[in-house]
Amino acid sequence: MTKVNKGRALLLVIAAGALLGLVAAVASWHDVAIASFGLTGVVAFAWIALWARSVTRSVARLQKKVNATASATKKLPAAGDVTELADALAQVRAAVDRIERTQTHQLPATQRLLTEVREIVVSVQRIPSSTVELERLYDRIVDHDRLMPELGNWALSPRTVAWVAEHIATTPIDTIVECGSGSSTVWWATAFERRGGPGRIVSLESSAEYAEITRGRIAALGLSHRAEVIHAPLVDLALPGRDPHPWYDLSVLPADLTRIDLLFVDGPVGAIAPQVRYPGFPMLADRLPAGALVILDDTPRPEETEIAERWMRERPAGRRLTIAEQLDRSIVFRVDVDAE
């Protein structure tokens, strides 16, 4: 019996069981009704599990393709690979749609599986465009043969890094402040060096160990004059209308850091506290001139979405934010200053 026929057979059993249970309930055959509804529930779960297993296998096949193509940074996948990948994506979408037509809202585990499948599908769909962005990024700013840090997954997406690198190359931006450090610090320091003239990055990093790792990467490329990675431990921060909130200790910022042309908020780690990245804009707003940019990463996540909405409602230090551009995982805001 094929998988499709098994599914249809289970559906027929579910329908028959439900009908028998309904008839038994009307006829006051309580024992029969309970048994029928119980059997129906078991079979329904088996039917959903059958589709879930099919999706899991599809996800495993997709993950192999992701792993096989994620390392490609200088060329696009071959045409045959793209076609095969598109076919696999179509199969997964069809499986997800079939599951969503069932009562999956009552099964949290199945719902989580669907969310993971969709995230993998989106990641795979972005592989060709991300590869193109990486190739362009290398051509624009990398003039050496040393290894550059990897992008994607936990690191920033290639499109976001490329967008900021292009902004560095085409505007008189002088100072970037990062909440969080890592691959982006190295790439943007490289972009400043390629452009020449003034330009630096100040990165706030809550982990002393990770700050040292990033400094090592910067030093290995001879870019220590372009990037300053500061260990800024998390301290309890009291903001109006909020309970004490962990955020970076700003007392470690350089004394001459009075103007920020681009504020990039990708830290602290979201699991530390609810909306842990919220203080980024209000705490540094007074250093943002009109026309400066604020970028919030990971905005598909609900908490970052709420942070973005709050930022646009509030006016810290007379600054207000409007959306300038939507990247794949980030929102770019432009700063306006209220007239005095």
Side-chain angles (χ1 to χ4, degrees):
M1 182 181 292
T2 65
K3 291 182 180 179
V4 174
N5 288 338
K6 286 180 181 178
R8 290 178 178 174
L10 288 174
L11 283 175
L12 289 174
V13 172
I14 292 170
L19 180 60
L20 177 59
L22 181 61
V23 171
V26 172
S28 298
W29 300 336
H30 300 299
D31 292 342
V32 175
I34 293 172
S36 298
F37 285 129
L39 177 61
T40 301
V42 171
V43 175
F45 182 81
W47 184 80
I48 294 174
L50 182 66
W51 284 119
R53 186 176 63 175
S54 175
V55 171
T56 302
R57 290 175 177 174
S58 297
V59 169
R61 290 195 298 271
L62 276 176
Q63 189 61 57
K64 290 181 180 178
K65 294 179 184 294
V66 171
N67 293 337
T69 55
S71 60
T73 59
K74 298 297 288 182
K75 63 180 180 179
L76 283 170
D81 294 337
V82 174
T83 300
E84 184 178 353
L85 198 56
D87 291 342
L89 288 172
Q91 293 174 15
V92 172
R93 286 198 199 96
V96 170
D97 290 342
R98 286 194 294 269
I99 293 177
E100 286 188 330
R101 286 195 291 269
T102 68
Q103 300 297 319
T104 56
H105 61 279
Q106 298 177 357
L107 299 171
T110 304
Q111 197 63 39
R112 287 195 300 270
L113 175 62
L114 291 177
T115 300
E116 292 173 3
V117 170
R118 290 195 178 281
E119 290 176 354
I120 291 176
V121 169
V122 170
S123 297
V124 174
Q125 287 174 323
R126 288 175 177 162
I127 286 175
S129 62
S130 295
T131 304
V132 171
E133 291 293 350
L134 277 174
E135 183 175 3
R136 292 174 178 170
L137 192 58
Y138 266 99
D139 291 342
R140 282 199 302 269
I141 72 172
V142 179
D143 57 1
H144 55 76
D145 58 0
R146 284 165 289 179
L147 186 66
M148 292 293 286
E150 185 177 357
L151 297 175
N153 295 325
W154 290 107
L156 290 185
S157 71
R159 186 182 177 196
T160 299
V161 173
W163 192 94
V164 175
E166 182 69 18
H167 189 70
I168 292 172
T170 58
T171 69
I173 176 176
D174 284 342
T175 304
I176 294 177
V177 170
E178 285 186 297
C179 296
S181 70
S183 299
S184 57
T185 314
V186 180
W187 281 96
W188 296 337
T190 303
F192 273 128
E193 186 70 5
R194 181 66 176 266
R195 185 191 71 179
R200 66 167 176 167
I201 304 169
V202 177
S203 298
L204 299 174
E205 179 55 60
S206 60
S207 166
E209 179 182 1
Y210 199 74
E212 192 59 37
I213 291 173
T214 305
R215 290 191 201 106
R217 291 176 175 176
I218 292 291
L221 294 173
L223 296 172
S224 296
H225 60 294
R226 293 292 185 184
E228 183 177 2
V229 182
I230 301 174
H231 175 220
L234 299 183
V235 295
D236 284 341
L237 174 69
L239 289 173
R242 291 173 63 90
D243 294 331
H245 197 91
W247 207 65
Y248 300 105
D249 180 3
L250 293 186
S251 67
V252 300
L253 283 178
D256 64 340
L257 184 63
T258 58
R259 175 190 173 101
I260 300 172
D261 298 308
L262 190 152
L263 172 62
F264 191 85
V265 182
D266 188 30
V269 177
I272 292 176
Q275 297 187 25
V276 70
R277 297 178 182 177
Y278 164 76
F281 172 51
M283 288 300 297
L284 295 169
D286 60 344
R287 306 176 196 230
L288 296 166
L293 299 178
V294 177
I295 303 179
L296 177 64
D297 195 36
D298 298 319
T299 50
R301 298 192 309 209
E303 290 206 358
E304 272 66 22
T305 298
E306 293 178 13
I307 291 172
E309 292 172 351
R310 290 190 60 185
W311 282 0
M312 288 189 291
R313 290 195 304 265
E314 298 172 350
R315 299 288 188 274
R319 270 67 171 174
R320 61 185 184 278
L321 297 181
T322 56
I323 295 178
E325 189 155 351
Q326 175 76 60
L327 304 177
D328 49 2
R329 283 182 357 206
S330 307
I331 295 178
V332 181
F333 301 93
R334 189 171 302 279
V335 176
D336 293 316
V337 179
D338 292 340
E340 296 182 358

